[in-house]
Amino acid sequence: MAGAGGGGCPAGGNDFQWCFSQVKGAIDEDVAEADIISTVEFNYSGDLLATGDKGGRVVIFQREQENKSRPHSRGEYNVYSTFQSHEPEFDYLKSLEIEEKINKIRWLPQQNAAHFLLSTNDKTIKLWKISERDKRAEGYNLKDEDGRLRDPFRITALRVPILKPMDLMVEASPRRIFANAHTYHINSISVNSDHETYLSADDLRINLWHLEITDRSFNIVDIKPANMEELTEVITAAEFHPHQCNVFVYSSSKGTIRLCDMRSSALCDRHSKFFEEPEDPSSRSFFSEIISSISDVKFSHSGRYMMTRDYLSVKVWDLNMESRPVETHQVHEYLRSKLCSLYENDCIFDKFECCWNGSDSAIMTGSYNNFFRMFDRNTRRDVTLEASRENSKPRASLKPRKVCTGGKRKKDEISVDSLDFNKKILHTAWHPVENIIAVAATNNLYIFQDKIN
Amino acid sequence: MECALDAQSLISISLRKIHSSRTQRGGIKLHKNLLVSYVLRNARQLYLSERYAELYRRQQQQQQQQQQPPHHQHLAYAAPGMPASAADFGPLQLGGGGDAEAREPVARHQLHQLHQLHQLHLQQQLHQHQHPAPRGCAVTAAGAPAGGAGALSELPGCAALQPPHGAPHRGQPLESLQPGPAPLPLPLPPPAPAALCLRDPRASAACSAPSAPPGATPPAAAASPPASPAPASSPGFYRGAYPAPLDFGVHCSSQTTVLDLDTHVVTTVENGYLHQDCCASAHCPCCGQGAPGPGLASTTGCKRKYYPGQEEEDEDEEDPGDLGAEPPGGAPFAPCKRARFEDFCPDSSPDASNISNLISIFGSGFSGLVSRQPDSSEQPPPLNGQLCAKQALASLGAWTRAIVAF
């Protein structure tokens, strides 16, 4: 099992040599709450990178084509489209304000020239179509070039409008709005491999939707107890299997994962598989329940494994073995003795995400102080890197960081007490094919590439 | 970065979080509040166990002083995994006049009540988590070897620090259960599924049975008697048994009202208090003064269908006051503001509505914990904060899922 802290970053073999590529976002110290990035997602080809923020906006970056005339901008991501996905709402019946923060974005596989994505806030999921327009019709009969209607009596001749090129315009339009299906806060959406359905999960229920149908959804999991006082766990994340369209998993706040098969029954309250690692009784504390709560679950691309993230560790599970994970990687074990302070400042409730690389040989997750951690499953090596403006020279290699857990602090190490817990990396994404990673640090999006790449 | 890892401060921090979550944007976050309630429960268990140990220790000391030279029993509560500082708690705050507990009969009575409360709480957890045996963890001598075990045999069971999780597959050892010594009657556990409604056994019948928790463990497991023989394991063993349902001191009770947003069903459940805390105040109704105990009139049953047409202002969970958060006809609890919803003027400070909402939800006046100046006319100041915390602690069992106020 990989140890805590950071290891070296030796070159060669399967190890990565991460270099800074780009950073997006404002530089000022004063970060507006609305600009905080709340989700990051590559599309299936990796050419598009979408981010959602707390202000309800979605920004899509597109990778530039490799261009011999501009060799330095190899594969750079530039803004492609920006639109307001969700607005703040007010539920008058329950006197609740509904935040516009984008909780998740999931891309649909591309089927034509347009791109489709699902974005969700706490209550409503929207299907957006992002399409390009680079031609414009000119020469209308009934209206002028500027759009004013012409007086029909003045028209003396007919002409056929012709298409003329125009500056590329990217339009985003909401095609479907899936609303009013969730009483509790939506935490996950996941597109099925059949490309027709998707699931949305809130704290207590999971619904199955068809992409074409907005007025109906099927409830497939419901863990709400008859008496809410008996509530002991909530759903924290859910995902469809990447290849088997009948299988999905959902994780709970108790640190368990349930795999369900939709073929077995309409209501998947009974799981097909139940993944739980026995708790180590010697590590019990006041906060055991909190740190065992799973914040993210992701299937590997192969579909054979899945990964879960709890507060202090990342675990890789083999779907064929329910009794314990096959790998456990400590992300920041040095925080275990600080749990009380982290409880006081609410950091213990932070929900970190995790992601696989394209070949499932490495996994990545975030930490505090703008650190993020990468674990190589083959070599069992891990590294801690930092997303910071200081290391932002073009193509500068990232230096591994190390947290000093006690005793003498070596040079270049940082002590646990100096960590900045306001700088947290909750959202990361790995390009589906290449070694390009996107790391969201509060309001900035960092893009790093592997030098070998 | 250091923070005090003592139970009371954790409890107040947790309650503050729950309180502030109600005003946060986006509504109450179920997940976070559930986690906070777990911390509350853990802290409460530790707090009560300490207190229990302290009371017992005093009782022991008095007994031994009568018999023999004082035999020092170092009862530091050490639970696995707790930092060392957790075992060295400061002097326990024993409410209602510290020296009163030194008097033996009172101490024993309190011990008894405290123990009952614990039994009840463990019972609830038992049924809730469908764990066949309580995880007792008797007060252990710090680092006690076998020699301590002899002293332990005198102790009745006390708090389980380790809140029960789903049972054996979590790898926890099962604790043995042995018949308790004289003061504690051997009971029968109340019938299974109606877990948290069970403060008042009469209300239990009216409570609906809960659906199976996630994981679909068969409900039969809940009904299995707790006295499953299992090898005693090292942290201690659990002595004592559940008090009979009718022995519960339900005199001082109040109600928590929960509005389920999905089904619009209103559930009213009972909370219980430590009897000694209630009786510390001369106004306690159950002590025969003032109005009859609210608990006696409490069988308003559990579930009640809510008709949306009825009381518009009660539609949202902020205002359950009229639906029975206040024990009907009972005098307000003097020591802490037992807020009658009507008592709170709509034009009072913006704080008041939050606190009154919270009070009506938790069924206890914990205005002492939130930084609100108590009205000195009504409450004896030294008792207020403590008593509120105690009430909050005592009633935790019924509203451990504080997020019910959804």
Side-chain angles (χ1 to χ4, degrees), chain A residues 63-122:
Chain A
R63 194 172 186 200
E64 296 299 334
Q65 297 304 316
E66 302 262 351
N67 194 336
K68 288 208 171 44
S69 64
R70 296 181 61 214
H72 291 311
S73 68
R74 61 182 182 111
E76 263 188 7
Y77 284 86
N78 295 317
V79 177
Y80 179 62
S81 173
T82 305
F83 56 93
Q84 185 77 31
S85 171
H86 287 73
E87 298 275 2
E89 289 172 46
F90 196 79
D91 181 341
Y92 296 96
L93 192 68
K94 298 170 189 171
S95 290
L96 287 180
E97 190 179 359
I98 300 170
E99 278 189 287
E100 67 277 28
K101 170 170 84 98
I102 308 294
N103 292 336
K104 282 287 174 348
I105 290 175
R106 290 287 181 262
W107 289 93
L108 265 55
Q110 192 175 10
Q111 287 170 334
N112 51 37
H115 300 278
F116 288 87
L117 61 79
L118 287 169
S119 69
T120 184
N121 68 349
D122 284 340

Side-chain angles (χ1 to χ4, degrees), chain B residues 128-376:
Chain B
Q128 183 178 15
H129 298 277
Q130 298 183 348
H131 181 60
R135 15 196 97 262
C137 190
V139 173
T140 60
L152 284 181
S153 64
E154 311 277 29
L155 296 175
C158 70
L161 179 68
Q162 308 186 351
H165 273 269
H169 62 252
R170 292 204 71 100
Q172 299 273 7
L174 295 181
E175 314 284 352
S176 73
L177 182 65
Q178 303 181 19
L184 305 169
L186 266 178
L188 299 163
L196 288 168
C197 294
L198 268 189
R199 284 289 176 184
D200 181 355
R202 291 161 290 178
S204 68
C207 285
S208 66
S211 56
T217 327
S224 66
S228 59
S233 57
S234 52
F237 51 86
Y238 185 87
R239 273 188 168 278
Y242 299 128
L246 292 177
D247 285 346
F248 291 157
V250 288
H251 338 266
C252 319
S253 65
S254 74
Q255 294 170 337
T256 300
T257 300
V258 171
L259 170 67
D260 185 332
L261 286 180
D262 280 337
T263 61
H264 293 293
V265 172
V266 175
T267 308
T268 308
V269 295
E270 300 280 279
N271 299 336
Y273 290 119
L274 284 178
H275 184 83
Q276 46 146 353
D277 288 332
C278 312
C279 297
S281 153
H283 295 284
C284 176
C286 59
C287 298
Q289 308 174 15
L296 301 175
S298 63
T299 50
T300 47
C302 278
K303 287 220 183 225
R304 190 162 72 231
K305 188 72 181 162
Y306 167 68
Y307 297 101
Q310 243 176 6
E311 292 167 64
E312 289 294 317
E313 71 276 10
D314 293 325
E315 268 206 342
D316 111 327
E317 77 282 6
E318 315 263 75
D319 309 297
D322 287 325
L323 297 176
E326 185 60 21
F333 249 137
C336 285
K337 251 193 209 312
R338 292 269 316 149
R340 300 185 69 90
F341 184 70
E342 308 82 75
D343 284 350
F344 275 82
C345 313
D347 53 10
S348 54
S349 67
D351 242 23
S353 64
N354 274 340
I355 291 174
S356 73
N357 298 333
L358 204 52
I359 287 169
S360 51
I361 286 159
F362 295 132
S364 68
F366 77 89
S367 46
L369 284 175
V370 184
S371 56
R372 209 173 104 100
Q373 293 310 312
D375 292 349
S376 49

Side-chain angles (χ1 to χ4, degrees), chain A residues 269-394:
Chain A
D269 279 356
R270 297 179 56 113
H271 51 264
S272 299
K273 294 195 185 186
F274 182 72
F275 299 84
E276 184 179 32
E277 183 173 29
E279 191 191 356
D280 176 13
S282 66
S283 63
R284 269 214 66 82
S285 74
F286 283 121
F287 310 107
S288 296
E289 286 86 1
I290 302 186
I291 63 171
S292 64
S293 174
I294 292 176
S295 52
D296 193 19
V297 65
K298 290 265 172 45
F299 276 105
S300 65
H301 291 90
S302 63
R304 164 106 191 261
Y305 298 96
M306 66 178 177
M307 164 166 59
T308 59
R309 174 72 156 98
D310 50 73
Y311 190 64
L312 297 178
S313 67
V314 177
K315 297 179 182 173
V316 177
W317 302 77
D318 185 326
L319 290 189
N320 299 317
M321 187 163 78
E322 302 170 48
S323 53
R324 65 177 188 283
V326 290
E327 292 168 30
T328 301
H329 303 277
Q330 301 300 334
V331 180
H332 36 219
E333 182 69 14
Y334 46 79
L335 295 183
R336 193 180 284 273
S337 55
K338 308 285 178 195
L339 292 180
C340 187
S341 314
L342 294 167
Y343 179 70
E344 276 187 286
N345 63 18
D346 269 0
C347 284
I348 205 174
F349 300 105
D350 288 334
K351 297 195 181 155
F352 292 93
E353 293 174 8
C354 51
C355 59
W356 297 86
N357 72 341
S359 57
D360 297 337
S361 63
I363 57 184
M364 170 168 68
T365 188
S367 178
Y368 292 103
N369 208 69
N370 278 355
F371 287 170
F372 57 100
R373 302 263 286 137
M374 231 178 259
F375 304 93
D376 188 321
R377 297 178 64 214
N378 299 327
T379 63
R380 294 264 187 263
R381 275 198 276 249
D382 61 86
V383 68
T384 305
L385 300 171
E386 183 181 3
S388 74
R389 292 273 176 178
E390 286 79 44
N391 305 336
S392 301
K393 288 196 302 236

Side-chain angles (χ1 to χ4, degrees), chain A residues 8 86 93 104 111 122 134 147 150 161 165 169-170 184 207 216 218 228 244 256 265-266 335 415 419 421 451:
Chain A
H86 287 73
L93 192 68
K104 282 287 174 348
Q111 287 170 334
D122 284 340
D134 60 357
R150 289 164 96 189
M169 193 166 72
V170 180
Y184 303 96
N207 292 334
R216 242 171 302 155
F218 288 102
M228 274 295 273
Q244 296 170 27
T256 64
S265 71
L335 295 183
S415 78
L419 294 174
F421 289 92
K451 195 169 251 181

